[in-house]
Amino acid sequence: MSWRVFKFFDFEELKDPDTNQPFDKLKDLGVTCCACGRGQMIFGDAGGNLHILTSLRDIISFACFALRVHFIYQLKQRNIFLTVGDDEDLTPLIRVWNFDKRTKEGTPTLARTIRAVIPGGKPQSTVMAISAHENMNMIAVGFKDGTVVVIRGNITRDRSSRHRVVHTEETPGVYVTGLGFRQVGQQTYLMMSTTAAVYSILISDSDPKTQLDSIGNDLHCSTMTDHTQDHKFVIARSEAFYFYTSEGRAQCFAFEGDKFFIRWYRGYLISVAYGGRGSGARAASLAAQGGARESMTLSIYDIQNQFVAYQTTFSSRVIDVLSEWGSLYVLLKDGRLIRLDENDTKTKLETLFKKNLYPTAISLAKSQAYNDGLIDIFTQYGDHLYSKGDYDGAIAQYILTIGRLEPSYVIRKFLDAQRIHNLTDYLKALHEKGEANADHTTLLLNCYTKLKAIDQLDKFIVEDQNLTFDVETAIKVCRQANYHRHALALAKKYQRHDWYLRIQLEDLGNCVDSLEYISRLSFKVAEVNMRKYGKQLMSELPEETTKLLTSLCTDWIPRGTENAPQTMTSPVWCSPDQFIRVFVNRKQHLTQFLEQQIRTHKDHHLHQVVYNTLLELYLSEIGHCTPGERVGKESRALQLLKRPEASYDLDHALVLAQMHDFRAGILYLYERAGLFHQILLYHMEHNDYEQVMDTCKRHGRKDPNLWVQALSYFASGEECKGKISEVLQHIEENHLMPPLMVVQTLAESQYATLSDIKSYIVKHLKEENDQIAKDEHHIKQYREDTAKMRDQIRDLQKSAKIFQVMKCSLCKRAWPLPLCSPLPLPALLPPGLPQ
């Protein structure tokens, strides 16, 4: 497999901070094993000692075993590490050390010692691998005879532990080469490899085992990944790296080379192989010649992004690669410690940009969660592809920038007709992500129409349910491009009722579907649209439109919901006067409509325009019918006028009646308006003497002046002067006119004679003479009384008057003394005042 090789790590030999010379404190220790984590590095030597390297480059050493230290295992989440070594009796021991509890010298305390033996009386064997669970309840030990033992119990407490064999090998010479715990939910698996196979063991009461592969690996050529690769188990062979889950083999990456050991660090697979950077065949050839295995190649593989982040060759043997204090440290056999510092993400990306490796840069940015710069990478990659003429690839990258990059930046690049397909893809993605505005919708639909992409247009309008776009703009564009079916589908889908009806009527002239559509709308929407389009619908479908309007103005129920449960609310209807203008040149249908409204709304006061219009319709028919038909039509109009709930305009109705010579209506309206003199004048104009007299008799008490008008009227004609005496009788009884005015009125007539008013004058003169005689008698009596009173006054002025009566003859009270007046004071006061 050929992966690109980069230098994403900086190489530097570790210096002693005191002397600024190469760090050589590990040079003569004879390191046999090492581990790292929790802020320190731990080294074991052949003499059984442990050496702890701190961040200050200080080394703390102490004895651990009597003989050699074989393995050191550091828990990642706790300050606990395990060592495996030999004492004098050559029995392998496992010792648990606690960094949280240190001695005075700063060394960790020994928490527990466990004998690494195989239960069941089996012969003792050399420990080849060790691993511990992070919950500190399990230790797995692999032996040279192929046996694997799991020690259950708290690893830091010195109490009895349960040793159980979970794997044995029947094939001689097969030994354990790697161990690692993998947690899947509540289940714990022990991943193990031997020189012949790979297994996963479910740690339970029965410890079921699954063979994952029939190939094995050498010692130190296995490791566990972290969360970036789902905690997989990795083994290295000369031909490839193999990844395993607890169920089976996962991915495989073919890299040839005689691997010495592998490690895992922050998503990187670190491999140290024998020989230089040559092929595996060349390395094997050198190995056959002897002495060439001291040269080793360190490779750091980025598994997720599939490139080699760093590669270098060491002339000295590599003991191990440690990761601590944010860097990698390579321990060489000659005691040198090489530090590898990883470049930051920005520096890596700049390197990739210079080489135009944009796909790799994108993959790297995603794996590093470099979200802030990801959009810039997509944009640069798109620009690069655009400049190379790869428009399909460029638009794919620009689509990834939607929401962050201004759409106009992309749209301007693809406005040429030859690139309309790419522009269409971008605009569609813009709508799918809800970032499109009205202009983008217009442009996309124009692209569809120019490309004649009817299927895409159908999908955009009909099928896609989650797109966000300006609906009205889409309807306008489809309408302008004569895609009426799509415009109607949009309008109906998004309930743009006005647009739906506008297209149906103005563009397609489809009145039937329009009327059916309106009949299914809610009351408010149907009312608005019938006001707007009712006239056009009436001209094409008068019967159906009249029926719909009648329903709209009585009790509206949208079609299709008749059987649906109705809530108990008051009936919904609108005033009929709003739709009168719809019935242009449709008098018959308007008459039917208004008659139905009046019958339906007997308990409601309709607008006076309704009655005015219906009356006008009735009267307009009178002039075009026979005398026999006229009677029936006039009767119908008069019934309308006499309806108690009718709220027509009286003046308007009167004008209509006069225009059409509707006699009964005129007289009724005059009477209803209290215009009795107009009734009288109407009869006078028609020389209907009996009706004149009848009018005066019926309304004379309300308006006595009617008799006066009648007198003038009858006096003006010879054939009607016989009515004068009867009129004069009523005038005399009600004292409506002075006799002189009566005489003057009749004197102006050329037909009235003295004989016509002789009886009236004689009678009146007699009454006047009687009144004069009566008045003269009263005058004479008043004169006599006045003379007597004057004589009494003179007597009182000249002599005293002696009263014999002691009480007042008026009030019957005793006279007060002394008397100063011929009458007592109470008698002088007006009646009703306090005395």
Side-chain angles (χ1 to χ4, degrees), residues 517-711:
Y517 185 82
I518 293 175
S519 68
R520 298 181 179 275
L521 299 178
S522 64
F523 170 74
K524 289 291 185 183
V525 180
E527 178 188 7
V528 170
N529 285 285
M530 283 306 295
R531 288 184 193 174
K532 188 171 184 179
Y533 301 108
K535 189 179 297 185
Q536 183 176 353
L537 293 171
M538 180 62 67
S539 64
E540 299 293 333
L541 302 170
E543 293 290 343
E544 293 82 355
T545 305
T546 302
K547 184 178 179 181
L548 189 143
L549 287 174
T550 301
S551 176
L552 191 63
C553 295
T554 52
D555 189 5
W556 177 257
I557 299 177
R559 184 174 298 176
T561 63
E562 296 87 352
N563 298 325
Q566 302 293 326
T567 57
M568 298 299 294
T569 58
S570 57
V572 179
W573 57 279
C574 57
S575 181
D577 61 280
Q578 302 177 13
F579 301 104
I580 291 177
R581 61 183 182 82
V582 171
F583 293 85
V584 177
N585 299 324
R586 296 289 176 179
K587 293 183 179 181
Q588 180 181 353
H589 296 91
L590 178 57
T591 302
Q592 296 174 2
F593 172 71
L594 295 179
E595 287 177 343
Q596 178 63 36
Q597 299 309 309
I598 291 175
R599 286 194 299 268
T600 304
H601 300 292
K602 290 189 293 185
D603 299 331
H604 300 84
H605 292 287
L606 297 176
H607 197 279
Q608 63 182 11
V609 175
V610 175
Y611 292 95
N612 293 344
T613 305
L614 184 58
L615 178 62
E616 184 175 357
L617 291 170
Y618 284 164
L619 297 180
S620 64
E621 299 175 1
I622 294 176
H624 308 286
C625 60
T626 62
E629 294 175 344
R630 181 182 179 96
V631 175
K633 296 185 181 297
E634 286 185 348
S635 175
R636 184 173 59 171
L638 188 60
Q639 288 178 1
L640 176 65
L641 294 175
K642 290 183 177 181
R643 293 181 72 94
E645 75 276 5
S647 58
Y648 50 83
D649 183 88
L650 201 59
D651 295 334
H652 184 78
L654 192 55
V655 171
L656 291 174
Q658 291 172 346
M659 287 174 57
H660 296 87
D661 194 20
F662 179 29
R663 180 174 182 178
I666 293 173
L667 295 176
Y668 174 78
L669 293 171
Y670 279 157
E671 183 177 352
R672 182 170 177 176
L675 301 176
F676 306 121
H677 63 286
Q678 293 291 343
I679 299 175
L680 191 64
L681 289 175
Y682 183 84
H683 291 310
M684 289 177 180
E685 290 175 359
H686 291 80
N687 296 320
D688 193 342
Y689 310 133
E690 296 300 329
Q691 287 298 328
V692 171
M693 290 301 297
D694 184 66
T695 301
C696 291
K697 291 176 181 179
R698 285 192 298 112
H699 305 297
R701 290 187 178 182
K702 299 177 183 177
D703 189 358
N705 289 326
L706 295 177
W707 292 106
V708 178
Q709 290 179 308
L711 178 62

Side-chain angles (χ1 to χ4, degrees), residues 315-332:
S315 58
S316 177
R317 184 185 183 91
V318 178
I319 302 298
D320 208 338
V321 178
L322 308 171
S323 59
E324 196 58 58
W325 307 309
S327 302
L328 287 176
Y329 293 87
V330 182
L331 177 62
L332 302 178

Side-chain angles (χ1 to χ4, degrees), residues 20-274:
N20 200 27
Q21 297 297 318
F23 186 79
D24 58 358
K25 294 181 180 181
L26 301 175
K27 184 176 182 180
D28 300 323
L29 295 181
V31 175
T32 57
C33 57
C34 50
C36 59
R38 315 299 296 181
Q40 59 260 323
M41 295 181 187
I42 308 169
F43 304 94
D45 61 22
N49 299 313
L50 289 180
H51 310 277
I52 300 174
L53 177 63
T54 67
S55 59
L56 299 177
R57 310 291 193 270
D58 295 328
I59 291 183
I60 302 173
S61 302
F62 62 96
C64 179
F65 295 101
L67 301 175
R68 184 185 183 92
V69 180
H70 295 292
F71 298 99
I72 304 175
Y73 184 86
Q74 170 73 55
L75 272 69
K76 295 180 176 58
Q77 300 176 9
R78 302 178 186 275
N79 279 331
I80 303 293
F81 70 93
L82 288 72
T83 57
V84 178
D86 299 327
D87 271 351
E88 289 85 350
D89 58 356
L90 299 179
T91 301
L93 300 177
I94 302 172
R95 285 184 172 156
V96 183
W97 303 87
N98 190 347
F99 265 117
D100 290 332
K101 298 178 181 180
R102 295 176 182 260
T103 63
K104 294 181 180 179
E105 293 78 13
T107 61
T109 58
L110 177 62
R112 186 181 178 189
T113 299
I114 305 172
R115 291 173 60 85
V117 296
I118 303 174
K122 288 188 176 183
Q124 184 59 46
S125 181
T126 304
V127 175
M128 303 299 291
I130 187 171
S131 181
H133 198 286
E134 291 296 325
N135 64 10
M136 299 196 307
N137 285 324
M138 280 182 283
I139 298 175
V141 184
F143 294 92
K144 192 172 183 178
D145 64 356
T147 303
V148 177
V149 176
V150 174
I151 304 172
R152 306 287 293 271
N154 192 298
I155 64 176
T156 62
R157 298 177 184 176
D158 191 11
R159 62 174 62 176
S160 60
S161 300
R162 291 171 292 170
H163 291 61
R164 186 165 62 193
V165 176
V166 296
H167 177 76
T168 57
E169 279 289 347
E170 302 296 334
T171 305
V174 176
Y175 58 89
V176 178
T177 57
L179 295 171
F181 285 100
R182 184 172 190 263
Q183 193 72 30
V184 181
Q186 298 296 323
Q187 295 179 327
T188 302
Y189 290 89
L190 176 62
M191 309 296 293
M192 62 163 289
S193 62
T194 67
T195 54
V198 179
Y199 303 91
S200 73
I201 303 172
L202 175 62
I203 304 301
S204 62
D205 293 338
S206 58
D207 299 325
K209 178 172 57 177
T210 302
Q211 181 173 336
L212 304 179
D213 212 335
S214 59
I215 59 174
N217 60 284
D218 293 335
L219 192 64
H220 306 304
C221 288
S222 65
T223 187
M224 293 292 297
T225 67
D226 57 14
H227 65 280
T228 60
Q229 288 293 323
D230 195 25
H231 301 282
K232 294 185 179 71
F233 186 61
V234 187
I235 68 169
R237 291 175 58 86
S238 60
E239 72 278 5
F241 299 107
Y242 299 93
F243 287 70
Y244 298 90
T245 66
S246 51
E247 289 76 27
R249 182 192 287 184
Q251 65 265 46
C252 170
F253 300 100
F255 288 98
E256 294 184 352
D258 191 5
K259 283 81 173 180
F260 177 46
F261 66 82
I262 59 173
R263 299 287 184 266
W264 189 264
Y265 168 72
R266 294 183 182 178
Y268 294 111
L269 178 62
I270 303 172
S271 171
V272 175
Y274 292 105

Side-chain angles (χ1 to χ4, degrees), residues 295-356:
S295 174
M296 290 189 170
T297 299
L298 170 70
S299 300
I300 303 176
Y301 299 98
D302 189 326
I303 299 299
Q304 182 173 350
N305 301 307
Q306 297 191 358
F307 61 79
V308 181
Y310 186 77
Q311 194 172 69
T312 188
T313 300
F314 297 99
S315 58
S316 177
R317 184 185 183 91
V318 178
I319 302 298
D320 208 338
V321 178
L322 308 171
S323 59
E324 196 58 58
W325 307 309
S327 302
L328 287 176
Y329 293 87
V330 182
L331 177 62
L332 302 178
K333 184 179 180 180
D334 57 13
R336 289 185 299 153
L337 203 57
I338 307 300
R339 184 173 70 189
L340 299 177
D341 292 323
E342 185 179 7
N343 297 153
D344 57 32
T345 303
K346 186 176 180 181
T347 302
K348 295 178 185 177
L349 293 176
E350 290 175 353
T351 301
L352 296 173
F353 292 158
K354 292 177 181 178
K355 298 182 178 182
N356 293 327

